[in-house]
Amino acid sequence: KSYVHRADVTYEYEINGEKHTGERIDFLSYSSSDKAAAGEQAALFEVGKQIDIYVDPENPNESVINRDYPFVLWIIGGFT
């Protein structure tokens, strides 16, 4: 039996007086068979800590913490 672990993060933000919630850490869904690695990622976002997020100005319901694209997406994007 094998397990896949990932960090579950939920954050709240406010745009023009309207409250929103987000869960996206980055553009890829990070998961690992290594429970400790997933725990390390989750530990970056302690409860109550203020963080910077990036919000889509066209759709403020869409947000992400890390907007950097992984190297693999740059390679794939170059071939499409």
Side-chain angles (χ1 to χ4, degrees), residues 63-76:
S63 62
V64 65
I65 296 172
N66 179 6
R67 66 179 179 178
D68 294 334
Y69 284 95
F71 181 70
V72 70
L73 289 181
W74 287 109
I75 293 173
I76 294 169

Side-chain angles (χ1 to χ4, degrees), residues 11-22 60-61:
Y11 50 89
E12 299 175 343
Y13 58 100
E14 190 172 315
I15 303 289
N16 297 327
E18 188 175 334
K19 293 186 180 189
H20 301 271
T21 58
N61 290 315

